Amino acid sequence: MNNDFSRPVTGHVPVLRLGDVLLVTVQGDLYDSTAQQLQEDIGETIVSTGVTGVVIDISGVEIVDSFLGRVLAEIAATARLLAARTVVAGMRPAVAITLVELGLTLPGLRTALTTEAAMDLLAGLDPNTRSGGLRQENR
């Protein structure tokens, strides 16, 4: 099945294709074998479908460690090498603080407050024009 709603098999991590974007929803802990399978599935799906973006929704993640940070960075690096951009959506403040404290910069990743704003970023729309988008700096 190769329609816009096909789902590659990824163990416990749902992956949904929405047009030219893969939506990956991480809930809770991500273990070594699941993370490796997820990375492989995302890479294979990018190549086989030609998607140009990956949104990783981590709104269900309450605690982050260096392993999850590394997995996110590796997914973004793989996607970038395969001509797709990656946006992480739904990061909780505690997760952001932990990533900073761990010194993880997550190169190649853009962030958005919501999945909708992440989809707008990948579509080239200004997510600031919708509620729930990116935060604007005070000028």
Side-chain angles (χ1 to χ4, degrees), residues 64-69 95-105:
V64 70
D65 58 10
S66 59
F67 173 74
L68 180 57
V95 170
I97 290 167
T98 302
L99 289 173
V100 170
E101 288 173 347
L102 291 172
L104 298 174
T105 58

